[in-house]
């Protein structure tokens, strides 16, 4: 059987988006840290998945929150793709794409991720404890740790910049190797 | 919401190829992509209203079949209403695809399908031609459509 032409799929997805039929749009993007799956809803990027994560699960999560009409389009997400590529290839200092933390239910975790994205820039790092203190919850380092571990939008919300107070890079949803790679890309000094 | 529907594009990626082949058989190679596009958009419009998540592949086949047949009717209608004489419009482009599709069906089934989709008659008119009640005509059309769908293999 002839495979579906990519141009046809793009045409269908674009028509769906234009008609307001898409609850969410996703794209697969090759980057220096492996293939990413990026899902975007009306309010922005709501999920970034690393290549080890099963796509079915990532898309089902997005569908459960935004609706089942999930379509794929590189073209409709061209802006987000370009921003991520430019950042991960080191050409662009800042990564600014709209994002949506709707998949984060707990207010503390959401506040931690928002503060992290707002306050901790490229090349900087912060400890779990310090991030907890910055949102007025100095004893919530563990909740902050879980917010980072379950961050639905890694890279966009830079949980790789959050390190344990005891040294080392600590854990990362995408694996410690990837965390090191991202910190190296950003020129953050490693202990 | 009690129904958990899979992300729509998972269905497209799983069944898109066979649906395109299906559209090609129904509408011919030149129209197949347009038919599939329209069918998937129709499916998307209806998707959130589905009341269960079973037989989604069969449902997509059904939507594609209906879309292809509507396309044949629309092209037929264009031909009937356009000013130039019918010969100019290369009737084999639509008639051929439709006739090929129904060629192996029993004659009465073929006849019913032509009345409905090629001649675009309503059930009243079909009933007159078939010598039955409009309700029976509706039933015959629907059973003819069922045979048509069954004749089109999934792969």
């Amino acid at each position: 059987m002839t495979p579906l032409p990519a141009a046809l799929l793009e045409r269908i997805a674009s028509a769906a988006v234009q008609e307001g039929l898409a609850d969410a749009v996703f794209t697969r993007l090759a980057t220096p840290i492996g293939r990413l799956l990026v899902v975007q809803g009306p309010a922005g990027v709501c999920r970034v998945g690393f290549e080890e994560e099963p796509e079915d699960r990532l898309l089902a999560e997005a569908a459960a929150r935004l609706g089942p009409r999930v379509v794929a389009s590189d073209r409709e997400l061209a802006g987000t793709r370009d921003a991520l590529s430019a950042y991960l290839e080191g050409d662009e200092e800042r990564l600014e794409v709209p994002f949506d933390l709707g998949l984060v239910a707990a207010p503390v975790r959401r506040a931690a991720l928002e503060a992290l994205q707002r306050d901790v820039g490229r090349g900087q790092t912060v400890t779990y404890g310090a991030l907890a203190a910055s949102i007025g919850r100095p004893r919530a380092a563990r909740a902050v740790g879980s917010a980072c571990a379950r961050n639905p939008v890694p890279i966009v919300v830079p949980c790789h910049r959050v390190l344990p107070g005891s040294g080392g890079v600590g854990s990362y949803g995408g694996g410690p190797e990837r965390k090191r790679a991202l910190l190296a890309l950003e020129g953050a000094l490693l202990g | 919401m009690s129904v958990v529907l899979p992300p729509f594009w998972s269905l497209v990626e799983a069944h898109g190829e066979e649906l395109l082949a299906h559209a090609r058989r129904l509408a011919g190679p030149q129209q197949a992509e347009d038919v599939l596009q329209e069918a998937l958009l129709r499916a998307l419009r209806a998707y959130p209203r589905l009341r269960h998540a079973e037989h989604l592949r069969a449902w997509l086949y059904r939507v594609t079949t209906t879309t292809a047949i509507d396309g044949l009717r629309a092209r037929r209608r264009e031909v009937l209403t356009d000013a130039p004489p019918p010969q100019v419009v290369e009737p084999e482009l639509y008639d051929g695809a439709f006739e090929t599709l129904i060629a192996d069906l029993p004659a009465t089934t073929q006849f019913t399908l032509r009345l409905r989709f090629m001649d675009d008659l309503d059930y009243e008119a079909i009933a007159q031609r078939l010598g039955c009640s409009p309700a029976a005509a509706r039933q015959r059309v629907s059973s003819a459509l069922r045979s048509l769908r069954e004749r089109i293999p999934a792969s």
Side-chain angles (χ1 to χ4, degrees):
Chain A
M1 218 176 280
T2 342
L4 277 192
L8 173 61
L9 288 172
E10 277 293 343
R11 211 156 65 227
I12 295 169
S14 287
V17 171
Q18 269 160 39
E19 209 189 303
L21 292 174
D23 298 318
V25 184
F26 73 93
T27 184
R28 302 176 179 101
L29 178 68
T31 78
I33 55 163
R35 200 191 64 220
L36 300 178
L37 183 89
V38 181
V39 190
Q40 189 164 315
V45 174
C46 64
R47 194 73 176 84
V48 174
F50 295 108
E51 62 191 15
E52 298 83 6
E53 301 175 76
E55 283 196 358
D56 302 3
R57 211 193 54 211
L58 295 171
L59 295 177
E61 270 177 41
R65 174 164 139 65
L66 295 167
R69 297 176 303 177
V70 179
V71 307
S73 172
D74 293 352
R75 200 193 295 152
E76 295 295 327
L77 296 191
T80 303
R81 290 174 63 89
D82 290 349
L84 277 165
S85 294
Y87 185 76
L88 292 170
E89 281 154 23
D91 306 333
E92 189 59 58
E93 277 293 307
R94 297 188 60 81
L95 175 61
E96 279 173 5
V97 297
F99 62 96
D100 169 13
L101 292 178
L103 285 168
V104 183
V108 179
R109 291 203 276 124
R110 197 184 285 212
L113 294 176
E114 281 165 356
L116 172 61
Q117 196 276 335
R118 192 179 55 236
D119 302 333
V120 184
R122 183 187 180 113
Q124 299 176 295
T125 59
V126 65
T127 63
Y128 292 105
L131 183 56
S134 81
I135 57 166
R137 302 288 299 269
R139 288 139 83 96
R142 191 164 292 182
V144 167
S146 114
C148 291
R150 295 159 71 179
N151 176 13
V153 286
I155 303 167
V156 174
V157 170
C159 55
H160 58 275
R161 295 178 195 149
V162 190
L163 307 177
S166 53
V169 298
S171 61
Y172 187 58
E177 279 311 310
R178 218 177 246 125
K179 190 170 188 173
R180 263 185 221 104
L182 282 164
L183 289 169
L185 167 83
E186 298 181 344
L189 290 178
L190 292 183
Chain B
M1 203 170 69
S2 53
V3 189
V4 179
L5 294 162
F8 187 77
W9 216 253
S10 310
L11 300 174
V12 173
E13 291 188 344
H15 309 306
E17 287 181 29
E18 51 177 326
L19 289 170
L20 183 60
H22 180 59
R24 204 175 284 126
R25 276 192 297 272
L26 290 168
Q30 301 190 337
Q31 305 292 335
E33 292 197 359
D34 287 347
V35 165
L36 183 63
Q37 171 166 346
E38 177 54 27
L40 291 177
L41 289 173
R42 283 188 190 188
L44 263 174
R45 285 180 207 122
Y47 199 49
R49 296 195 305 272
L50 290 186
R51 271 170 291 177
H52 58 76
E54 291 151 43
H55 312 301
L56 292 174
R57 175 170 166 273
W59 170 67
L60 286 174
Y61 265 90
R62 229 160 32 236
V63 176
T64 306
T65 305
T66 316
T67 306
I69 288 171
D70 287 352
L72 291 169
R73 293 171 63 190
R75 267 173 276 145
R76 174 70 174 171
R77 211 172 294 128
E78 272 169 34
V79 170
L80 289 174
T81 53
D82 278 359
Q87 290 90 331
V88 178
V89 204
E90 300 179 68
E92 66 271 17
L93 279 184
Y94 53 91
D95 285 340
F98 186 73
E99 289 298 331
T100 308
L101 178 67
I102 65 172
D104 293 326
L105 292 169
T108 50
T109 311
Q110 285 192 36
F111 187 48
T112 310
L113 286 170
R114 277 196 213 101
L115 290 176
R116 180 74 188 91
F117 297 115
M118 295 311 287
D119 300 335
D120 204 24
L121 299 180
D122 59 23
Y123 294 112
E124 191 76 52
I126 296 172
Q128 283 171 8
R129 305 280 186 96
L130 296 176
C132 63
S133 71
R138 184 184 289 270
Q139 216 152 40
R140 286 208 205 174
V141 169
S142 115
S143 114
L145 269 180
R146 211 161 32 244
S147 331
L148 186 61
R149 285 177 194 131
E150 282 163 9
R151 295 202 68 82
I152 297 152
S155 57

